[in-house]
Amino acid sequence: DTEVTQTPKHLVMGMTNKKSLKCEQHMGHRAMYWYKQKAKKPPELMFVYSYEKLSINESVPSRFSPECPNSSLLNLHLHALQPEDSALYLCASSQPPGPSRNTQYFGPGTRLTVL
Amino acid sequence: DAKTTQPTSMDCAEGRAANLPCNHSTISGNEYVYWYRQIHSQGPQYIIHGLKNNETNEMASLIITEDRKSSTLILPHATLRDTAVYYCIVRGVTTNAGKSTFGDGTTLTVKP
């Protein structure tokens, strides 16, 4: 099973709302990732968690707050977003970095629209 | 992580082999070459990866040049469902190996 699930599939929110994106995997992976993808652009890395600890934050604004409650779950809490934050948000998981262990498996994404 | 360069777009006739090139001239000795594809508005799908030897799986073959500065992904019998954006990524094996950059990718269009 190489499935990463993400909920919701679509989300529309106002700039004053607070919402959360959820990601789940049951492959025993200990590294999880959030990416942001704008239309017709490649995915951009936002955060990396390794063994449930934040290991990489790519200078993401504080209105995005990641959380890794356990090894299978990854959340992205959203607050006071701007319309330019509208994008496809992708979650991925992999084994922790190591030789031939960095294959990332992606979820289907959450399409976020900020009004 | 090394930067990759790919052609912006390619066409391929259905049933023919699709050969997608990637240049990674600054690759380091411990960096792997990964290929992913993304069908419109879906999550990227892992295809194949390799270090220095050629690799083959049920989806594709990966040919890496001897100097490792370039590689080619081969889809042996392209179908219409192979129309997608194909990304070549170079990824290391250090602590921050999870950090890797997607290039702009190649949009492959398979035509009937």
Side-chain angles (χ1 to χ4, degrees), chain B residues 58-92:
Chain B
E58 65 278 5
M59 289 184 67
S61 295
L62 174 60
I63 308 298
I64 302 174
T65 58
E66 191 169 345
D67 64 7
R68 302 206 329 119
K69 292 185 177 182
S70 66
S71 60
T72 301
L73 179 75
I74 301 172
L75 307 179
H77 305 287
T79 70
L80 299 179
R81 289 178 295 178
D82 292 322
T83 292
V85 179
Y86 287 77
Y87 295 104
C88 167
I89 301 163
V90 173
R91 185 174 294 155

Side-chain angles (χ1 to χ4, degrees), chain B residues 8-19:
Chain B
T8 301
S9 64
M10 296 181 65
D11 291 341
C12 178
E14 188 178 19
R16 303 299 292 268
N19 297 279

Side-chain angles (χ1 to χ4, degrees), chain B residues 37-57:
Chain B
R37 72 181 183 185
Q38 187 172 27
I39 297 170
H40 181 62
S41 292
Q42 298 181 22
Q45 177 189 22
Y46 165 76
I47 301 173
I48 199 167
H49 75 281
L51 182 62
K52 54 184 178 181
N53 297 322
N54 298 337
E55 302 286 346
T56 296
N57 63 20

Side-chain angles (χ1 to χ4, degrees), chain A residues 5 16 30 35 39 42 44-45 49 52 65-66 71 75 87 91 96-97 99 103:
Chain A
T5 60
T16 59
R30 300 305 297 274
Y35 288 82
E44 297 178 6
L45 184 66
Y49 273 83
E52 295 87 68
S65 176
S71 60
N75 298 322
C91 173
T103 301

Side-chain angles (χ1 to χ4, degrees), chain A residues 19-60:
Chain A
K19 297 288 185 181
S20 297
L21 308 184
K22 297 185 183 300
C23 174
E24 188 168 7
Q25 57 88 14
H26 294 288
M27 294 178 278
H29 290 167
R30 300 305 297 274
M32 297 186 76
Y33 311 78
W34 281 115
Y35 288 82
K36 173 182 177 180
Q37 186 174 27
K38 302 284 280 185
K40 299 188 184 301
K41 295 292 186 182
E44 297 178 6
L45 184 66
M46 301 174 71
F47 301 105
V48 180
Y49 273 83
S50 183
Y51 292 99
E52 295 87 68
K53 294 190 186 305
L54 184 65
S55 61
I56 295 176
N57 177 340
E58 290 286 30
S59 302
V60 178

Side-chain angles (χ1 to χ4, degrees), chain A residues 37 42 58 97 100 102 104 106-107, chain B residues 36 38 49 91-92 94 99 103:
Chain A
Q37 186 174 27
E58 290 286 30
S100 197
N102 295 332
Q104 293 182 15
F106 285 80
Chain B
Y36 288 81
Q38 187 172 27
H49 75 281
R91 185 174 294 155
T94 60
K99 177 176 179 176

